[in-house]
Amino acid sequence: MLRFIENLIRSAINETVDKAMTRAIRDQYTENLFGMIPSTTKVGVTNLMEIAMRANQGTPVSRPLGSPIHLSPWEKILFNPVHLFRSPTPENVGISTSVTIGRRARRPMTISIPIMIAAMSFGGALSKSAKIALAKAATAMGTATNSGEAGLLEEEREAAQLFIGQYNRGGWMNTPDKYRRLDAIEIQLGQGAQGSAPQRTTAKNIGEEFREVFELQEGEDALIHSRLPGVNTKDDFIQLVRSLRDETGVPVGLKIAATHHLEKELQIAIEAEVDFVTLDGAEGGTHGGPPTLQDDVGLPTLFAITRASEYFARKGVFRDINLIATGGLITPGHMLKAIALGADCVYIGTAAIMALVSEQMVEALPFEPPTSLVVYSGKLTDQLDVDKAAMNLTRYLNACVVEMEQVAVTLGKTALTDISKADVCTIDPFIAKAAGIQLGYVSPENQDRFYEETRPLFAAGEAEIDGEQHINVH
């Protein structure tokens, strides 16, 4: 019987495919279903679907987890293991992984690993159960989690041993009764996936607990302004930093989207004597945002880190101001390369969410996306097992750190913070020049000779930049 059914199905499939192929061959191209293939290839599957969504909804579409475009070429940077001229670290020697943020603060914050949980707000992005799971995992690993642009969620504060709160453009963490309970304050002026654009959560999508934490009135929208209320000038910002630092004693930092104006922004941060700067590259994620802000705004994380670290070094504040990198850091290799290029530590968002849902995603698939388990407005948020989610993220973080330690051993280092540009090379001459990394094609003593002999090629590239206003990077 089974054999008969199998033959029947095979026959039906064969006849269907034959008819489809015959139609694809005989029909005029303008009336041919195959026309979808070159059309989709031309605009891309993602763009095609977002065109359809815009046409259907008439408003900017809200794409989750940031841009799918990877602008930071992390794969072109490689670590340099050692064998004889410098020995690898003995396997019985521990690798230091801790980082102290805010060395000048009265109450600096020390994290046990150089990975923190990025800013993802309760209500505006994630559910309460997801925020608690993130906090529990961070606490288990001795690191910090971030409130995002939200009010103070009591359960998250209690679950987080180290809690960074965002002094935010919505104003929901900006009162002494809230920011005095933080272990570090991050003044949020922008983020990679949205720049400094305003955002609004309409009242119909705000539940009772959301309203309570954000102190909203019944029927009131939650609005994130493009500017931080009360901060309209450079002097306003400097005064705010000094006031928060004097009042709390905890590290006070600045979070911005990385842009080509980076050094101008950093100079003001230096004048304000911030304790840390969080740079969110163009690959930064968000729970949902317009594709144009995600795809077409900002500076890639890799180049933002190198420019910022070089600027801090030139200004002599490299040891005074911590540099925290975030935006599109998915693998332990990405994270460690960011540290090698000058970051003290990193935030992860998308990777943390993926680790959080882990095998629980089977509860959502195939009819709902895995994010429906963790976002505030998700259909399945009540099905997230908080303890299991926290355990999965803890394991993920532990695995990431072990892999980073293994690289440190092969580099002959005893601390992740000791890894620097000298421990990497690149296979791309343009990245080598831009990031201040040696080119792997030639030996260290022949770097200058290589660039001298290939100067005509770079001159051609410079002419192309001047003439066509774009860089042809191979």
Side-chain angles (χ1 to χ4, degrees):
M1 186 63 179
L2 287 176
R3 185 73 174 176
F4 172 75
I5 294 174
E6 181 181 337
N7 287 337
L8 194 63
I9 293 173
R10 285 172 61 89
S11 177
I13 292 174
N14 182 57
E15 187 171 351
T16 302
V17 172
D18 287 351
K19 287 183 177 178
M21 289 295 294
T22 300
R23 284 195 60 183
I25 292 168
R26 293 179 178 176
D27 285 0
Q28 293 296 314
Y29 222 145
T30 52
E31 299 177 354
N32 198 319
L33 193 60
F34 183 77
M36 284 291 293
I37 302 299
S39 299
T40 304
T41 303
K42 179 180 180 181
V43 301
V45 175
T46 301
N47 289 333
L48 177 66
M49 293 308 299
E50 290 178 352
I51 287 171
M53 291 178 190
R54 291 186 181 102
N56 178 263
Q57 300 165 16
T59 57
V61 298
S62 186
R63 182 204 288 155
L65 301 181
S67 176
I69 302 172
H70 300 283
L71 297 170
S72 294
W74 295 111
E75 73 283 359
K76 293 184 178 179
I77 295 177
L78 300 166
F79 290 104
N80 302 320
V82 295
H83 302 92
L84 288 174
F85 95 97
R86 191 174 73 225
S87 298
T89 306
E91 60 272 17
N92 60 348
V93 173
I95 304 297
S96 173
T97 61
S98 66
V99 178
T100 296
I101 297 173
R103 303 178 188 95
R104 297 182 297 186
R106 294 201 307 274
R107 295 165 50 198
M109 183 180 74
T110 298
I111 51 177
S112 299
I113 63 173
I115 310 170
M116 299 188 291
I117 306 303
M120 295 175 279
S121 66
F122 162 66
L126 300 181
S127 66
K128 184 169 77 173
S129 57
K131 290 295 289 177
I132 293 172
L134 291 171
K136 284 188 172 185
T139 297
M141 292 298 294
T143 191
T145 190
N146 191 306
S147 69
E149 293 173 286
L152 188 70
L153 180 64
E154 287 293 341
E155 292 88 342
E156 182 183 23
R157 171 64 276 195
E158 292 172 6
Q161 182 181 13
L162 296 173
F163 189 49
I164 301 173
Q166 285 195 333
Y167 194 97
N168 58 67
R169 291 174 286 149
W172 305 302
M173 190 72 83
N174 304 0
T175 54
D177 60 311
K178 294 177 181 174
Y179 62 66
R180 285 177 180 171
R181 298 179 61 192
L182 305 173
D183 297 295
I185 300 172
E186 187 174 75
I187 301 173
Q188 208 273 19
L189 298 186
Q191 62 190 87
Q194 295 182 310
S196 52
Q199 303 162 56
R200 180 186 296 273
T201 303
T202 55
K204 67 179 181 181
N205 295 319
I206 296 175
E208 183 177 348
E209 193 163 29
F210 186 154
R211 276 201 309 276
E212 182 180 330
V213 171
F214 284 64
E215 298 182 348
L216 299 171
Q217 300 298 316
E218 183 82 29
E220 181 182 359
D221 294 348
L223 176 62
I224 296 174
H225 305 279
S226 59
R227 294 184 180 188
L228 188 67
V231 176
N232 297 302
T233 67
K234 162 186 165 182
D235 290 339
D236 289 339
F237 175 73
I238 291 173
Q239 182 56 42
L240 173 64
V241 172
R242 292 176 178 172
S243 174
L244 290 173
R245 187 178 56 235
D246 292 344
E247 189 175 349
T248 66
V250 302
V252 177
L254 165 68
K255 179 178 180 178
I256 54 174
T259 80
H260 195 48
H261 304 300
L262 185 60
E263 289 78 7
K264 295 175 183 174
E265 308 278 17
L266 294 179
Q267 180 56 41
I268 296 173
I270 291 171
E271 292 175 30
E273 299 180 337
V274 298
D275 294 297
F276 64 93
V277 169
T278 301
L279 279 182
D280 197 11
E283 300 95 333
T286 178
H287 77 289
T292 304
L293 285 175
Q294 294 182 11
D295 297 345
D296 305 297
V297 171
L299 187 71
T301 304
L302 189 156
F303 302 111
I305 298 167
T306 54
R307 283 176 53 168
S309 64
E310 289 172 3
Y311 191 73
F312 283 170
R314 285 205 303 274
K315 293 295 179 177
V317 297
F318 191 70
R319 296 190 177 281
D320 296 329
I321 301 178
N322 294 101
L323 179 60
I324 303 173
T326 187
L329 301 172
I330 304 300
T331 73
H334 294 169
M335 302 171 205
L336 196 56
K337 288 171 186 176
I339 291 171
L341 295 182
D344 291 284
C345 54
V346 302
Y347 276 122
I348 59 168
T350 299
I353 292 298
M354 295 302 178
L356 202 70
V357 297
S358 190
E359 78 269 22
Q360 292 190 66
M361 68 176 69
V362 300
E363 303 294 333
L365 297 172
F367 301 114
E368 299 292 340
T371 50
S372 64
L373 289 162
V374 294
V375 298
Y376 176 76
S377 56
K379 296 178 180 176
L380 305 175
T381 53
D382 58 343
Q383 294 188 28
L384 182 74
D385 185 320
V386 172
D387 290 334
K388 186 181 291 185
M391 179 57 70
N392 284 331
L393 178 54
T394 302
R395 289 173 178 150
Y396 169 77
L397 290 169
N398 184 65
C400 289
V401 174
V402 170
E403 290 185 40
M404 294 164 82
E405 290 173 331
Q406 290 171 337
V407 175
V409 167
T410 199
L411 300 179
K413 304 288 183 176
T414 57
L416 296 184
T417 52
D418 289 342
I419 297 173
S420 68
K421 290 181 182 178
D423 298 303
V424 296
C425 66
T426 179
I427 55 172
D428 187 303
F430 287 94
I431 295 174
K433 284 288 187 182
I437 304 170
Q438 292 218 334
L439 183 63
Y441 293 160
V442 293
S443 64
E445 57 269 23
N446 287 332
Q447 297 281 309
D448 292 340
R449 180 181 63 78
F450 173 84
Y451 287 113
E452 184 64 30
E453 291 176 354
T454 57
R455 184 186 296 276
L457 297 176
F458 288 97
E462 290 169 359
E464 189 174 355
I465 294 169
D466 292 339
E468 302 180 23
Q469 294 298 303
H470 72 271
I471 302 176
N472 185 17
V473 179
H474 300 285

